[in-house]
Amino acid sequence: MHGEYKVPGGKLVVVDLDVEGGVLQYARVAGDFFLEPDEALDAVNHALNGAPADTDAAGLAARVDAALPEGTVMYGLTSEGIAIAVRRALAHATDWTDYDWQLIHEGPQSPALHMALDEVLTTEVAAGHRPPTLRVWEWATPSVIIGSFQSLRNEVDPAGAERHGIEVVRRISGGGAMFVEPGNTITYSLSVPESLVQGLSFQDSYAYLDDWVLGALGDMGIKAWYQPLNDIATEAGKVAGAAQKRMVGPGGGPGAVLHHVTMAYDIDADKMLEVLRIGREKLSDKGTKSAQKRVDPLRRQTGLAREAVIERMIDSFRGRYGLADGKVTPQELARAEELARTKFGSPEWTSRVP
């Protein structure tokens, strides 16, 4: 069995192993990490051998920690990362490079249609009808996108939204509200097979699916990191937030994961505060007294045009994993348009949590 895991902000860990009699055998850890002293690698392998195959990641990490020689130094490697690579091997997880990725980057579309496209495309990936897909959004109108479980009246000031001509829609994933204006926001979706995140906890899957964009930002001179549970941050502040939805495959079989991210390229903080009800508890939880300080736009940090930031992100993804240009099929678009009309554009869905 073979498992791979790139430690967020670190290096690749590779584990090969067998299972005999319900326990791990012949474990061999490798990767482009740094580890001192040399005998620490043998200690890691010995710690894994003999572990029950159903040991969770925390238990495996504890075995590794207990076996490391005193004074061991790991760089780009963690005991948790080793444990996750083992769990991914046992779960027969796939890797990014196992797939032929497709890019969808089309013209501006309505907020409701974007919500519908996320559902339709991820359903198609779950059914095996479309390859894993990176979709970069373009917005036709300003909008507030609330999470699946958020209260409409608690999150949105209807008078402020009406005054600024902002449409409110609800997405299928959880998480917080997104304030969006065309030209000021970069949004993308990943629709991926469930096997890509096999062996990862829900939290670890966020870090794993966000890792490529951290690299893309690094190429633009921005040191960014994943901040649990679902933020991407820099020294200047938060730059993006992510959300996920898991979808079951046909007949209850293996499904797909929708992972979408909204990044602040620029932001009208005063307008945002007039539209969103950002409570004092939420602000204090983030360690700040001002909503303006919670998000630091990429325009200021990169000095690049929005289109250039998007182009560099796409180029970074393509360089890592390969990426062919694609498009929404007529059948997918027809289904999405119907969903936008009957579900995402309906008051019943938008106010399902009043």
Side-chain angles (χ1 to χ4, degrees):
M1 299 177 187
H2 179 85
E4 298 185 2
Y5 178 66
K6 184 180 181 300
V7 176
K11 300 293 185 176
L12 180 69
V13 183
V14 180
V15 175
D16 291 283
L17 53 82
D18 294 327
V19 175
E20 296 181 359
V23 299
L24 308 187
Q25 295 290 346
Y26 312 112
R28 299 169 300 283
V29 175
D32 59 352
F33 49 80
F34 299 90
L35 179 63
E36 294 289 348
D38 281 352
E39 54 265 29
L41 184 60
D42 289 334
V44 169
N45 291 334
H46 289 312
L48 296 175
N49 289 327
D54 60 357
T55 306
D56 63 15
L60 292 169
R63 289 177 68 103
V64 170
D65 285 335
L68 291 174
E70 184 177 355
T72 294
V73 176
M74 295 180 174
Y75 183 77
L77 175 69
T78 64
S79 56
E80 292 81 6
I82 296 169
I84 291 171
V86 171
R87 294 308 315 169
R88 284 176 58 76
L90 293 169
H92 302 285
T94 55
D95 185 65
W96 295 83
T97 54
D98 292 333
Y99 300 103
D100 295 322
W101 289 87
Q102 186 173 112
L103 170 68
I104 294 176
H105 187 193
E106 299 181 336
Q109 292 159 321
S110 71
L113 185 58
H114 277 307
M115 304 304 108
L117 283 169
D118 264 358
E119 180 169 328
V120 169
L121 296 180
T122 308
T123 300
E124 289 295 279
V125 172
H129 297 157
R130 101 167 349 265
T133 300
L134 167 65
R135 183 170 73 92
V136 179
W137 304 20
E138 295 294 345
W139 295 91
T141 59
S143 179
V144 166
I145 317 299
I146 60 175
S148 180
F149 311 108
Q150 288 188 295
S151 163
L152 177 61
R153 63 170 166 256
N154 286 348
E155 297 298 325
V156 181
D157 184 323
E162 183 177 0
R163 182 166 60 252
H164 292 292
I166 292 178
E167 181 181 357
V168 180
V169 295
R170 186 184 295 275
R171 62 181 184 268
I172 58 174
S173 61
M178 301 156 40
F179 175 76
V180 168
E181 292 184 290
N184 284 356
T185 306
I186 297 172
T187 307
Y188 66 86
S189 300
L190 288 169
S191 297
V192 306
E194 185 180 33
S195 58
L196 184 62
V197 297
Q198 285 287 0
L200 299 178
S201 68
F202 189 75
Q203 176 172 317
D204 288 334
S205 72
Y206 273 85
Y208 185 69
L209 294 176
D210 282 339
D211 187 67
W212 74 274
V213 81
L214 302 186
L217 291 171
D219 293 341
M220 289 180 259
I222 300 176
K223 178 176 174 52
W225 58 86
Y226 161 74
Q227 185 169 292
L229 170 65
N230 61 335
D231 290 345
I232 297 173
T234 71
E235 292 179 354
K238 173 181 171 180
V239 295
Q244 285 187 9
K245 176 68 176 179
R246 307 295 173 103
M247 296 187 179
V248 177
V257 178
L258 167 65
H259 179 91
H260 43 200
V261 174
T262 293
M263 312 179 75
Y265 173 73
D266 205 349
I267 193 166
D268 186 334
D270 292 333
K271 185 185 295 185
M272 181 181 73
L273 286 172
E274 292 180 26
V275 175
L276 295 182
R277 301 186 192 275
I278 300 178
R280 292 182 180 178
E281 289 187 10
K282 181 179 290 187
L283 292 176
S284 63
D285 181 57
K286 300 296 182 181
T288 181
K289 296 180 180 179
S290 170
Q292 288 94 328
K293 295 179 181 178
R294 290 185 58 204
V295 180
D296 195 83
L298 291 172
R299 179 179 182 177
R300 179 164 58 249
Q301 294 196 47
T302 64
L304 297 171
R306 175 181 177 274
E307 293 73 17
V309 174
I310 291 174
E311 182 178 356
R312 292 197 185 192
M313 289 172 57
I314 291 172
D315 287 345
S316 180
F317 191 103
R318 182 177 284 117
R320 284 170 171 243
Y321 311 125
L323 188 63
D325 292 338
K327 61 183 179 180
V328 177
T329 69
Q331 295 81 6
E332 291 168 338
L333 181 59
R335 288 172 53 200
E337 288 175 336
E338 177 67 10
L339 266 182
R341 182 182 67 82
T342 61
K343 179 178 179 178
F344 294 104
S346 71
E348 292 79 14
W349 169 258
T350 303
S351 61
R352 77 184 189 105
V353 183

